[in-house]
Amino acid sequence: MAKPRGTDGSLIDSLPWTLTAIGFALSAHLPYLPVWITAAFLACAGWRIVIERRRAAVPSVWVRAALALICFLGVLATYDTISGVGPGSALLAIMAALKLLETRQRRDQFVLLFIALFLVMAALLREQYLWSLPYLLVAVLLVMTAWIRMSAERAEPLGRSLATGGRMLAYALPLAVAMWIFFPRISSPFWSVPIDTSSAVTGLSDRMSPGDISSLSQSDALAFRVKFDGEAPPPPERYWRGLVLHDFNGRTWAGGGPIGNRPATEQIEFEGDPVRYRITLEPTNQQWVFALELPFEWTLPRTRMGFRQQLYNIYPIDQRIAYEVLSYPAYRNQASVDVRSRAWYTDLPGRTNPLTRALASEMRARAGSDQDFIRDVLARFNREDYYYTLRPPALGNNPVDRFLFDTRRGFCEHYASAFAVMMRAAGIPARIVLGYQGGEFNPLSGQYVIRQSDAHAWTEVWLEGQGWHRVDPTAAVAPERVELGIAGAIVDGVGAAWGLSAPSQVLHRLVLGWDALNARWNEWVLGYGADTQDTFMRWLGMDNPNWRNLFLTMLAIVFGLVILIGAALTFRLRPPDKDRAAVLYRRFVRKTGLTPATGETPNAFAVRVSAAYDRAEKPVRALTNAYLDTRYGPPDRSALKRLETALAEIPRFAPLRARELLHKSGEAP
Amino acid sequence: MQGRSTLETLPAGKDAGRAALDHARAALGRIILDKDRQISLALACLLARGHLLIEDLPGLGKTMLAQALARVLGLSFSRIQFTSDLLPADIVGVSTFRRATGEFEFQPGPVFAQLVLADEVNRATPKAQSALLEAMEEQQVSVDGNTRGLPKPFFVVATQNPADQIGTFPLPESQLDRFLMRLTMGYPNEHNERELITGQDRRAMLAGLEPSATADALVALQAAAATVHMSDPLVDYIQALVRQTRESPNIDIGLSPRGAQALAAAARAHAYVERHPGVYPDDVQAVFTAVAGHRLKAAGNTSHRDAAELCQHVLDSVDIP
């Protein structure tokens, strides 16, 4: 016997909702998924709708198996693996699409909705931004609504489905919050979520070619946030040091890896007053840790200061981290440069940028001292018509030559690079520092926001007796870049792209407000990790918040909440007496074995039942009266009790029926 | 006669009115035999502050019912025999000039009574009919520009003879709506008819009847009847019935919202008469034909002979929630 393959069209009411829920859950993944998966999902959804409309048969098991195999191989081919967020969500999408083709009954859509919930959860593995919270809530609400519409007996009004779904979420919310607070966080997780490293993170890289940073400065993406303990240093002192590049190939500066494990502070003289602040660094997938020049202490484990005063973490920073730093803006780097290092820091590849070298030699000869030479070079940038622009012209071979003598338009990396090359040409050790400069103060959160557009490159030169010290050639060309920040210096920036001379005040405030909100979200919600939890638990009065205690507390609280919410619901949702009465009355009707006619009142029915059975009149009468009082009378607790008692006293009619009737007819005259 | 009592012997207190009602009902049942249903409907109609139309052949006790009602409830009674030459002034009264005082003095017509029996209302001209119907609606009459309130309670029992249609002016549907209920009396059964033939003269019994209540008590009863509990499922039931009258293919014109209100009010009053703690479906069913029968317009192709059958059909096709 062949199994039925056709559909009876019973999905037609709930299918649009199920599809909407899955589609919405899937939409968060769409930008990351290969196009063919989206296409496959849409094709399967369309196919299913056609099946449902035409009451056609679902594809046979062989077709479905073949499709599943093809799709699986497709995912494998696209990702080379099936583990990780990307392939995982791709497989989930494929599962949802193919499950559509074998769903036969309404209730089978459970699986589809479960997949939708999984997709929503997987979206959290990709990104946990504040704006994704409303999206997630809407997605879950849609799933719940689809669920209710799937289970509803008849098509109920959409508003009621939505309300029921929302109510269920509201009931679940306290449980979710309790579990979130008390679920033990472990500082070094023994499981780890495979982070999707394929998605690019904008930020500094460990190389610098002309154009790298100017392209970065178009990005409004957040680099990190800073909250100062007390006064912030003025903008010209806010150089956020990242990495140091020293290896120049004529075009590109590169740095050595973060090698070295000795405390690099030993040759540093820290002077003046320190600045204490807290940085919340966005993930960079790099090892560099940014801090104000020059960090003295920091509260980040597994982070050291290596050669060239670079802070680095032994692992790439693949999630948001927060750390406190104590920096001394006034410091003297007395590191000595031996002969080998000197050759290293003055190395220029041969036959590149000859004009620059010639100019440097000439100027050095004229200057007399290294200090004067530096001043002359900066004065040249300042006096001659060099321009600071986001859109410098392209530079061919010998980019420094071309920049210095032809185009004369450049961004910070052009000036830093040109300056360092000139220093090296004159025999002065020089290197490039990459980091950020300035930052915008957000009065709403009290934090400084440093964006990718604040990325900056400057130089350090080594002078005999003075050690390494910072020279920012960009400041010579465009002092306002350092004084006012990137937005003050660049007029052809983002605003210009939108045809605005300057972003409007309101828009700016909105951006700041959103940023402040995000900062709180990061700090309080996403940043709720092992340390914060420990502090919070101790504040709550837990003596020893270890894994076991937290877990037991969580269980106890969740259990208590379930009982509490359950009791509240039972109390609130208990049917009114009159509905309970109807239930009891139906039980009575079943007992009688008779069926009330349409429009037959309970009294009329009672008469009929009394006539049909012997000795039935009294209990039936009592029950009917109690029922009428409970259901139609004014609220009266005792009436329901009477009804329950009466129902208990009703004899089992059905088995007696035949005998009773015979008995009755025998008695008839 | 057993069970006869005077007002003084009636139980006092909160339930005094209630007991009086039961007492009146029992007294009516002794005079008008085998018409318990009509009696309780008439009482319900009265308690719901509605007017009653009795439609049946002569000699079936229509007048007797009206008179007995007035008697047992202690209401002032007047009777207007509607004829084709009846004038509105014959109903509401006239102002006559008094030579002695030199002023016009209003002579109240028969409508100024608490219970007015309008006998054979369809014999009069529409003009005379409308004078009565206006009084029913407004609870007042206007004579010579003066508005005069009618006594309270004010209750009209109109009778119609359905068989004799020659030279009559049947009440139009819009005016039938003024009557809360329409009743038919029907013949008594054999046993009771025998009792009527052999027993005491009804008129003598009526004369000997002591009132069980007073007009004031009746007003209080009306107020009490309007507060009988009506549960949600019962409202659902009323709505379902009304919907059925509108949707049934047998019925051209279903119950109006006013008809639905009338049904609810009548059901409440009936529940009060029957001493139900709340309105039962039985109450709705009991009053349904009386309330809805004259408000429905049967479809032309219906196989239902009369309004009663039509109403029963509606009742039989609606589930009781």
Side-chain angles (χ1 to χ4, degrees):
Chain A
M1 198 176 84
K3 277 169 79 174
R5 282 174 54 200
T7 167
D8 54 0
S10 60
L11 259 60
I12 201 80
D13 287 333
S14 50
L15 191 65
W17 284 98
T18 310
L19 284 178
T20 309
I22 301 178
F24 200 81
L26 196 57
S27 66
H29 298 276
L30 286 188
Y32 307 99
L33 289 181
V35 179
W36 68 268
I37 287 184
T38 314
F41 177 78
L42 289 178
C44 287
W47 191 355
R48 180 71 218 197
I49 289 172
V50 171
I51 286 176
E52 213 54 36
R53 283 262 171 79
R54 302 225 177 119
R55 307 278 196 274
V58 295
S60 76
V61 65
W62 295 111
V63 174
R64 295 198 305 257
L67 280 176
L69 190 65
I70 291 170
C71 289
F72 180 78
L73 291 177
V75 171
L76 205 58
T78 311
Y79 288 97
D80 291 332
T81 171
I82 53 162
S83 75
V85 177
S89 49
L91 281 178
L92 277 175
I94 288 300
M95 273 162 69
L98 293 180
K99 184 69 193 170
L100 274 172
L101 296 182
E102 66 167 10
T103 305
R104 207 173 268 114
Q105 289 174 352
R106 284 218 295 193
R107 304 232 156 229
D108 290 346
Q109 293 171 92
F110 269 129
V111 180
L112 289 168
L113 294 173
F114 267 126
I115 295 177
L117 283 181
F118 258 96
L119 281 169
V120 172
M121 235 155 60
L124 276 175
L125 297 179
R126 289 192 197 277
E127 52 196 21
Q128 306 179 338
Y129 301 122
L130 177 56
W131 55 259
S132 58
L133 187 68
Y135 157 77
L136 290 173
L137 285 178
V138 170
V140 177
L141 182 64
L142 273 178
V143 172
M144 299 312 289
T145 308
W147 213 301
I148 286 158
R149 293 194 78 74
M150 176 189 75
S151 318
E153 289 272 321
R154 285 173 297 173
E156 63 172 8
L158 173 59
R160 197 185 302 166
S161 303
L162 271 171
T164 313
R167 227 178 27 237
M168 286 163 77
L169 284 186
Y171 297 146
L173 191 67
L175 295 179
V177 170
M179 285 166 111
W180 177 75
I181 290 177
F182 288 99
F183 192 86
R185 307 297 204 277
I186 289 148
S187 43
S188 54
F190 47 79
W191 73 90
S192 79
V193 177
I195 295 290
D196 192 8
T197 45
S198 61
S199 60
V201 176
T202 49
L204 293 171
S205 73
D206 57 356
R207 311 175 79 73
M208 184 188 84
S209 309
D212 279 357
I213 298 182
S214 47
S215 72
L216 203 56
S217 66
Q218 311 268 17
S219 163
D220 258 350
L222 184 67
F224 51 91
R225 291 190 175 86
V226 184
K227 188 162 180 96
F228 283 101
D229 241 14
E231 279 294 293
E237 285 181 26
R238 289 205 297 270
Y239 280 87
W240 307 98
R241 188 185 184 87
L243 56 154
V244 176
L245 309 178
H246 56 80
D247 188 11
F248 185 57
N249 70 355
R251 178 182 177 82
T252 303
W253 289 86
I259 44 164
N261 195 13
R262 64 177 183 191
T265 50
E266 62 187 9
Q267 298 151 315
I268 313 277
E269 279 179 29
F270 291 98
E271 297 173 346
D273 295 327
V275 188
R276 187 180 288 280
Y277 53 93
R278 181 183 173 82
I279 291 189
T280 314
L281 180 64
E282 298 294 306
T284 58
N285 288 339
Q286 306 268 10
Q287 289 172 262
W288 318 111
V289 173
F290 295 92
L292 205 60
E293 286 193 326
L294 195 62
F296 178 68
E297 280 175 359
W298 49 91
T299 62
L300 198 58
R302 299 191 297 277
T303 297
R304 311 220 164 82
M305 183 179 275
F307 280 143
R308 299 180 278 276
Q309 292 79 46
Q310 306 174 81
L311 274 191
Y312 71 94
N313 193 288
I314 58 171
Y315 299 117
I317 293 157
D318 55 8
Q319 50 188 320
R320 189 180 295 104
I321 54 169
Y323 49 95
E324 279 186 24
V325 190
L326 185 76
S327 287
Y328 285 87
Y331 69 95
R332 282 150 63 91
N333 186 344
Q334 299 286 28
S336 60
V337 171
D338 58 27
V339 179
R340 227 180 100 203
S341 301
R342 196 183 179 96
W344 183 258
Y345 283 122
T346 54
D347 177 51
L348 287 173
R351 296 191 309 280
T352 58
N353 303 309
L355 296 175
T356 309
R357 291 181 190 207
L359 177 71
S361 309
E362 186 223 328
M363 283 177 75
R364 173 68 186 85
R366 201 154 10 102
S369 73
D370 284 350
Q371 279 94 335
D372 289 344
F373 171 62
I374 292 170
R375 204 180 52 237
D376 287 352
V377 171
L378 291 177
R380 180 187 164 90
F381 286 149
N382 184 262
R383 272 202 295 277
E384 296 194 13
D385 52 347
Y386 285 98
Y387 298 100
Y388 182 64
T389 173
L390 258 179
R391 295 187 189 142
L395 307 167
N397 293 331
N398 299 322
V400 181
D401 275 7
R402 198 162 146 64
F403 163 67
L404 272 181
F405 297 98
D406 291 347
T407 64
R408 295 174 174 242
R409 282 153 204 279
F411 201 59
C412 58
E413 72 260 37
H414 298 82
Y415 290 97
S417 176
F419 184 80
V421 168
M422 286 184 79
M423 291 301 120
R424 286 190 172 193
I428 303 172
R431 59 195 189 189
I432 305 266
V433 185
L434 287 186
Y436 297 87
Q437 205 284 324
E440 185 187 11
F441 183 63
N442 185 343
L444 296 175
S445 63
Q447 291 180 330
Y448 282 84
V449 179
I450 286 89
R451 302 179 189 285
Q452 295 301 344
S453 54
D454 293 314
H456 195 53
W458 61 93
T459 58
E460 281 181 334
V461 293
W462 186 86
L463 294 175
E464 196 66 50
Q466 296 181 15
W468 289 102
H469 80 135
R470 180 176 68 221
V471 178
D472 186 357
T474 309
V477 188
E480 62 276 10
R481 162 67 184 90
V482 176
E483 297 287 339
L484 301 176
I486 190 77
I490 304 289
V491 289
D492 57 349
V494 180
W498 293 350
L500 299 168
S501 57
S504 81
Q505 205 79 24
V506 179
L507 193 69
H508 192 64
R509 274 198 74 80
L510 277 178
V511 169
L512 288 179
W514 176 240
D515 181 78
L517 211 62
N518 262 304
R520 304 249 147 86
W521 170 256
N522 289 340
E523 189 179 352
W524 292 342
V525 179
L526 299 185
Y528 187 72
D531 295 345
T532 336
Q533 190 180 38
D534 191 82
T535 316
F536 185 60
M537 288 304 136
R538 286 180 197 281
W539 182 81
L540 281 183
M542 193 187 286
D543 286 335
N544 180 21
N546 58 15
W547 195 89
R548 188 188 151 81
N549 284 350
L550 279 171
F551 201 77
L552 289 177
T553 314
M554 184 189 79
L555 279 187
I557 288 179
V558 165
F559 191 66
L561 275 175
V562 166
I563 289 181
L564 213 69
I565 296 172
L569 288 184
T570 321
F571 186 72
R572 237 198 75 197
L573 297 185
R574 199 191 57 186
D577 285 353
K578 56 179 183 288
D579 294 349
R580 175 91 188 121
V583 173
L584 294 176
Y585 188 70
R586 274 198 292 278
R587 239 175 255 171
F588 158 72
V589 169
R590 267 201 303 278
K591 270 185 165 183
T592 63
L594 301 175
T595 315
T598 304
E600 189 175 20
T601 65
N603 278 325
F605 184 66
V607 170
R608 205 147 63 83
V609 174
S610 304
Y613 303 110
D614 204 17
R615 290 185 298 276
E617 185 169 355
K618 223 178 122 195
V620 168
R621 191 71 257 163
L623 180 130
T624 304
N625 285 342
Y627 168 65
L628 287 170
D629 288 353
T630 322
R631 184 144 176 88
Y632 301 105
D636 178 8
R637 291 320 312 269
S638 71
L640 185 65
K641 291 248 156 51
R642 268 196 292 135
L643 177 57
E644 281 164 350
T645 318
L647 183 64
E649 283 170 11
I650 291 286
R652 280 237 154 247
F653 289 118
L656 295 173
R657 198 171 163 208
R659 196 157 51 86
E660 296 281 336
L661 281 175
L662 273 176
H663 180 60
K664 278 206 165 183
S665 59
E667 265 185 0
Chain B
M1 222 178 180
Q2 60 163 15
R4 267 182 72 172
S5 60
T6 58
L7 272 180
E8 284 75 27
T9 61
L10 284 174
K14 191 173 160 240
D15 267 359
R18 266 249 47 129
L21 188 66
D22 293 342
H23 193 261
R25 193 176 162 194
L28 286 169
R30 278 192 301 276
I31 298 218
I32 301 151
L33 298 173
D34 192 29
K35 291 287 169 259
D36 278 348
R37 198 177 69 84
Q38 280 81 355
I39 289 169
S40 66
L41 282 176
L43 283 173
C45 185
L46 191 61
L47 289 185
R49 300 191 179 96
H51 304 286
L52 184 63
L53 178 65
I54 305 176
E55 201 175 70
D56 223 326
L57 301 168
L60 289 172
K62 300 190 292 268
T63 312
M64 180 62 71
L65 176 62
Q67 280 181 329
L69 270 175
R71 185 82 193 165
V72 296
L73 295 175
L75 303 175
S76 61
F77 177 79
S78 73
R79 174 179 180 155
I80 313 170
Q81 183 62 51
F82 276 49
T83 55
S84 54
D85 56 355
L86 188 79
L87 294 174
D90 297 332
I91 298 171
V92 299
V94 286
S95 293
T96 50
F97 185 69
R98 283 278 169 125
R99 191 167 303 236
T101 58
E103 284 176 353
F104 281 94
E105 191 178 304
F106 180 65
Q107 294 285 320
V111 81
F112 285 88
Q114 286 162 329
L115 197 152
V116 178
L117 174 63
D119 228 352
E120 298 195 81
V121 71
N122 55 342
R123 295 215 157 269
T125 57
K127 200 171 183 176
Q129 286 172 355
S130 62
L132 177 73
L133 293 164
E134 270 175 48
M136 284 161 56
E137 184 73 11
E138 311 289 333
Q139 304 272 321
Q140 61 186 24
V141 291
S142 294
V143 185
D144 300 335
N146 292 323
T147 302
R148 291 167 202 278
L150 292 168
K152 281 193 176 156
F154 178 66
F155 184 48
V156 172
V157 178
T159 69
Q160 262 195 147
N161 183 349
D164 186 10
Q165 295 295 325
I166 300 163
T168 63
F169 301 92
L171 291 171
E173 269 131 15
S174 62
Q175 299 201 331
L176 281 175
D177 199 33
R178 305 275 168 88
F179 292 96
L180 180 65
M181 291 187 192
R182 183 180 68 175
L183 293 182
T184 52
M185 295 301 282
Y187 294 107
N189 64 22
E190 301 248 331
H191 171 76
N192 287 317
E193 190 152 34
R194 192 177 186 87
E195 165 82 24
L196 285 176
I197 296 166
T198 59
Q200 213 180 344
D201 177 33
R202 298 289 128 181
R203 289 192 187 283
M205 279 176 72
L206 193 62
L209 205 57
E210 291 288 335
S212 307
T214 62
D216 288 343
L218 191 62
V219 171
L221 285 174
Q222 285 177 336
T227 61
V228 175
H229 177 79
M230 189 175 272
S231 60
D232 288 342
L234 197 103
V235 179
D236 291 344
Y237 184 43
I238 289 179
Q239 281 194 303
L241 285 172
V242 170
R243 202 179 315 121
Q244 179 66 23
T245 66
R246 292 171 191 165
E247 288 170 0
S248 166
N250 295 328
I251 300 171
D252 261 358
I253 301 173
L255 280 181
S256 63
R258 185 161 66 188
Q261 283 177 328
L263 183 58
R268 273 203 163 103
H270 192 270
Y272 191 74
V273 172
E274 296 291 337
R275 279 181 170 265
H276 294 160
V279 185
Y280 290 173
D282 305 79
D283 297 314
V284 178
Q285 293 201 349
V287 300
F288 186 72
T289 304
V291 173
H294 59 291
R295 294 169 207 257
L296 299 178
K297 187 169 185 299
N301 59 356
T302 180
S303 59
H304 297 289
R305 256 180 314 143
D306 59 7
E309 224 173 90
L310 203 61
C311 290
Q312 194 55 48
H313 185 71
V314 170
L315 289 177
D316 287 345
S317 47
V318 175
D319 275 316
I320 299 171

